[in-house]
């Protein structure tokens, strides 16, 4: 298996296969299949590296009494940041966004711990600092400008956090590409505008110069898995042990 080097200030290649692509591209299905096949010969772990705002929002809304109104309040605040990014968020909204980024960093540290144990980690999504916005797994506050000293401080802290996570370069990024019609058909609960933005932005992400395999997420799942396995084995052979 690939060795894991300690944290440093510069980029370092990690024993990580990162799956990226728009919602509905097949990342979760491919991740499970890769873990099943690769796990037969070596220690392989799976980890979701999105910021999980949807699941957290569901948890808040399910709280007795205060859950529904608090959930609606946070939802309105979140929508405002997405729809009017040039306006600085309020102190509470900025803090909520920053805490979501801290939660993602917590999961990123879990990934590093898996790597240290000698596991090959398959991630669904991967943090980056090239394009701002949770929609693209980047820093959300970086989309906004101005604000109070508190908001500016949180923005700087969040950006620093994402830049640190981006120094961990996956040994392979598998990018699953789909058109917006396919994505929306598979994920009808997602806003078409958001899916369209993801599809337009994802091809521009480089993940600090990582090796990237582009696949068509509309292809047969067996074909996508076979091509992915060949690329993973190639990346493992090319990475010093």
């Amino acid at each position: 298996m690939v060795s894991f080097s300690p944290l440093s200030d510069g980029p370092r290649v990690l024993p990580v296969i990162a799956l990226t692509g728009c919602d509905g591209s097949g990342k979760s299905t491919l991740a499970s299949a890769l873990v099943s096949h690769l796990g037969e010969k070596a220690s392989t772990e799976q980890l979701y590296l999105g910021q999980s705002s949807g699941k957290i929002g569901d948890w808040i809304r399910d709280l007795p009494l205060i859950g529904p109104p608090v959930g609606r309040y946070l939802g309105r605040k979140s929508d405002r940041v997405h729809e009017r990014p040039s306006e600085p968020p309020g102190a509470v909204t900025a803090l909520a966004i920053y805490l979501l980024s801290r939660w993602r960093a917590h999961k990123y540290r879990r990934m590093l711990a898996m790597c240290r144990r000698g596991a090959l980690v398959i991630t669904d999504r991967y943090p980056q600092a090239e394009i701002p916005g949770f929609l693209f797994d980047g820093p959300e506050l970086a989309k906004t400008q101005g604000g109070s000293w508190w908001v500016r401080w949180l923005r700087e802290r969040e950006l620093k956090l994402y830049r640190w996570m981006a120094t961990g370069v996956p040994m392979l990024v598998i990018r699953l590409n789909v058109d917006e019609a396919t994505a929306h058909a598979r994920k009808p609960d997602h806003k078409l505008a958001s899916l369209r933005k993801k599809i337009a932005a994802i091809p521009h992400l480089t993940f600090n110069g990582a090796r990237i395999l582009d696949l068509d997420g509309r292809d047969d799942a067996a074909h996508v898995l076979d091509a992915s396995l060949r690329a993973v084995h190639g990346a493992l052979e090319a990475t010093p042990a």
Side-chain angles (χ1 to χ4, degrees):
M1 187 52 65
V2 179
S3 61
F4 172 74
S5 57
L7 293 179
S8 63
D9 292 333
R12 71 277 188 206
V13 177
L14 302 176
V16 171
I17 310 300
L19 308 186
T20 67
C22 180
D23 301 282
S25 61
K27 297 187 299 298
S28 299
T29 300
L30 178 58
S32 298
L34 285 174
V35 171
S36 176
H37 282 74
L38 296 170
E40 295 176 356
K41 296 183 178 180
S43 174
T44 307
E45 307 236 20
Q46 181 178 349
L47 183 65
Y48 176 70
L49 276 183
Q51 40 84 13
S52 304
S53 60
K55 292 182 179 179
I56 293 174
D58 290 340
W59 177 79
I60 291 174
R61 283 187 288 271
D62 288 340
L63 292 174
L65 300 178
I66 65 169
V70 172
R72 289 192 294 270
Y73 172 79
L74 293 177
R76 289 194 299 270
K77 293 295 185 180
S78 176
D79 288 342
R80 179 179 176 183
V81 173
H82 285 298
E83 295 168 4
R84 288 180 281 178
S86 61
E87 295 183 14
V92 175
T93 303
L95 178 60
I97 291 172
Y98 177 71
L99 290 177
L100 285 173
S101 291
R102 294 294 304 187
W103 174 244
R104 174 175 269 159
H106 168 73
K107 292 191 289 185
Y108 182 88
R109 290 187 176 91
R110 281 182 56 202
M111 180 197 75
L112 295 181
M114 293 174 182
C115 294
R116 292 190 182 96
R117 293 196 297 268
L120 175 66
V121 185
I122 311 297
T123 72
D124 182 340
R125 304 174 68 164
Y126 201 82
Q128 54 82 24
E130 302 168 60
I131 300 178
F134 281 165
L135 199 60
F136 318 112
D137 297 315
E140 179 75 1
L141 291 174
K143 292 170 52 179
T144 65
Q145 299 176 1
S148 66
W149 69 268
W150 168 251
V151 172
R152 294 195 303 272
W153 183 82
L154 289 175
R155 183 184 294 119
E156 292 173 2
R157 295 285 296 179
E158 185 196 42
L159 182 57
K160 183 177 180 180
L161 197 62
Y162 276 83
R163 285 175 173 167
W164 167 69
M165 290 188 283
T167 61
V169 182
M171 68 163 56
L172 176 66
V173 173
I174 299 177
R175 188 161 53 199
L176 297 175
N177 303 298
V178 291
D179 59 272
E180 63 182 61
T182 300
H184 196 244
R186 293 177 178 178
K187 298 286 184 179
D189 58 323
H190 287 49
K191 294 180 179 179
L192 185 58
S194 296
L195 297 174
R196 188 177 295 122
K197 289 178 181 178
K198 285 188 178 183
I199 291 171
I202 286 173
H204 298 288
L205 297 173
T206 68
F207 298 97
N208 243 336
R211 177 186 302 204
I212 298 177
L213 170 68
D214 277 297
L215 294 175
D216 192 331
R218 299 169 298 180
D219 285 345
D220 179 74
H223 173 77
V224 172
L225 174 61
D226 183 61
S228 298
L229 287 171
R230 290 199 304 270
V232 170
H233 291 311
L236 287 170
E237 292 172 359
T239 304

